[in-house]
Amino acid sequence: MKVLANDGISKAGENTLREAGINILDNRVAQDHVINFINDNNVDVLLVRSATKVRQDLIDACPGLKIIGRGGIGMDNIDVEYAKSKGIKIINTPTASSKSVAELVFGHFISLARFLHESNRLMPLEGETHFNAMKKSFSNAYELSGKTLGVIGFGSIGQEVIKIGIALGMKVTILTRSPKTEVLTLNFFDGQSVNFEITSTNDMDAFLKEADFISINTPKTNEYIIDTPQFEKMKDGVYIVNTARGGVINEVTLIDFIESGKVAGAALDVFENEPNPELPLLMNPALSLSPHVGGNTVDAQEKIGIELAEQIIKLQKETIR
């Protein structure tokens, strides 16, 4: 079996495959050349993250493909149902990067609440000449403890976000299409654990009125989840972080509500016009920005690589039987 990990795979994942006798090709192929490479090298398994697109044309042109794998949760760069209809197995790693994304959410929340995103920009430029002025300007900050964390989405990432919020002493409210109940377990360093039974709501208005900090953790949507009507119902001075997908929040409207003061600050790890974010977003001092790196930690990549490798090995064994 030959595997092309076109968007990369961790060393741990690579070693797991090699130890099972599976040939992993050490290549990175441009999108326009992927079809020819797969066919010329008799590739059985194509592994991608978000860079490589696996559309119907590629699937039709590569009849030898047996498995398509996505390192991560979202599958919007793969025509999943069409691939399945052609007998191709689809695998992904829905939970491997959840903790990494959740930690980035709070990295942004704390950065916004304490003005770290802005002070990190200004200190090298004005720290020597305007130290006291900046100290005064950035003193109007907030603790997260005691505030209400609103999470849109109750999947694996949303659950990890909720756990961190609880650990920080925040109240939590969760918005889903229909109410659902989950038991979340917080595990501690000394072996202790605490269970929390949490029920989400589908009442958008009540959710928006209650939340001080809002984290969007949903799959890709066809329309905005957050637009003018939703912004208008939020608390004054709300903070928002989007690590989900570009297009779940109206970025133009977001800027308007930041400028009006309704939104105290927002963070974007994903963008509507990715990988070319709009300049007004990049230049706005009330925004904390990162280049779609939610799941890009060494820890997450190791977990993703190993999970993909183990799934491939399992499918190979099932095929042999």
Side-chain angles (χ1 to χ4, degrees):
M1 179 174 277
K2 286 186 180 179
V3 176
L4 171 63
N6 204 44
D7 296 339
I9 188 171
S10 69
K11 199 68 180 176
E14 183 180 330
N15 290 339
T16 302
L17 289 170
R18 293 194 192 284
E19 288 168 7
I22 293 172
N23 183 10
I24 181 161
L25 304 177
D26 187 21
N27 298 87
R28 302 290 182 272
V29 185
Q31 183 75 51
D32 292 345
H33 301 291
V34 171
I35 291 173
N36 288 338
F37 186 91
I38 289 172
N39 291 330
D40 291 345
N41 293 275
N42 299 314
V43 171
D44 303 287
V45 182
L46 174 61
L47 300 181
V48 302
R49 281 188 58 78
S50 57
T52 303
K53 314 301 178 188
V54 188
R55 300 302 180 200
Q56 183 175 332
D57 61 332
L58 186 152
I59 294 165
D60 285 337
C62 300
L65 273 182
K66 299 178 179 66
I67 301 170
I68 297 170
R70 165 70 160 91
I73 299 175
M75 305 282 277
D76 42 280
N77 59 321
I78 301 171
D79 287 341
V80 173
E81 294 307 317
Y82 186 77
K84 287 180 178 178
S85 74
K86 295 293 184 179
I88 298 173
K89 300 289 185 182
I90 303 294
I91 60 175
N92 71 332
T93 58
T95 63
S97 60
S98 299
K99 290 182 185 292
S100 291
V101 178
E103 289 185 5
L104 181 68
V105 169
F106 279 90
H108 278 301
F109 274 146
I110 293 169
S111 181
L112 289 165
R114 299 304 303 268
F115 302 104
L116 298 180
H117 64 298
E118 194 170 357
S119 62
N120 278 329
R121 293 170 180 168
L122 293 179
M123 279 295 288
L125 300 174
E126 301 180 19
E128 187 177 8
T129 56
H130 295 84
F131 188 93
N132 288 332
M134 282 192 291
K135 180 177 179 179
K136 182 177 180 180
S137 175
F138 297 144
S139 295
N140 190 28
Y142 292 96
E143 296 179 358
L144 274 66
S145 177
K147 306 300 189 302
T148 297
L149 169 67
V151 180
I152 303 177
F154 210 180
S156 60
I157 294 175
Q159 291 182 23
E160 293 298 332
V161 170
I162 294 162
K163 289 179 187 180
I164 296 175
I166 292 171
L168 288 172
M170 302 184 80
K171 305 167 190 175
V172 295
T173 180
I174 299 92
L175 180 70
T176 52
R177 286 192 179 90
S178 56
K180 58 187 291 191
T181 299
E182 298 282 357
V183 176
L184 305 186
T185 302
L186 268 67
N187 297 307
F188 298 93
F189 71 97
D190 59 357
Q192 293 188 71
S193 63
V194 181
N195 293 331
F196 294 84
E197 184 175 282
I198 299 175
T199 301
S200 66
T201 180
N202 62 351
D203 187 339
M204 171 75 87
D205 290 357
F207 171 87
L208 294 173
K209 289 175 183 175
E210 189 177 355
D212 300 296
F213 292 82
I214 296 175
S215 176
I216 308 174
N217 302 109
T218 64
K220 184 176 176 63
T221 58
N222 294 323
E223 56 188 22
Y224 297 126
I225 295 174
I226 302 295
D227 205 345
T228 298
Q230 290 74 40
F231 281 116
E232 289 175 342
K233 292 169 184 173
M234 291 178 187
K235 279 187 174 182
D236 291 343
V238 68
Y239 293 93
I240 304 168
V241 173
N242 180 22
T243 56
R245 286 288 187 272
V248 301
I249 185 170
N250 187 328
E251 295 171 352
V252 174
T253 307
L254 171 64
I255 295 297
D256 291 341
F257 280 89
I258 286 174
E259 291 177 351
S260 75
K262 182 74 171 183
V263 176
L268 301 173
D269 183 54
V270 289
F271 302 86
E272 289 189 67
N273 194 31
E274 196 170 314
N276 304 109
E278 301 296 339
L279 190 59
L281 297 174
L282 301 179
M283 299 301 293
N284 193 295
L287 286 174
S288 179
L289 305 172
S290 52
H292 201 158
V293 293
N296 290 3
T297 62
V298 171
D299 311 82
Q301 295 311 307
E302 284 206 356
K303 293 176 193 173
I304 287 170
I306 292 171
E307 275 193 34
L308 287 174
E310 289 175 344
Q311 290 182 69
I312 292 167
I313 293 166
K314 182 181 178 182
L315 288 171
Q316 184 189 41
K317 289 178 179 177
E318 290 174 354
T319 302
I320 292 172
R321 288 190 198 129

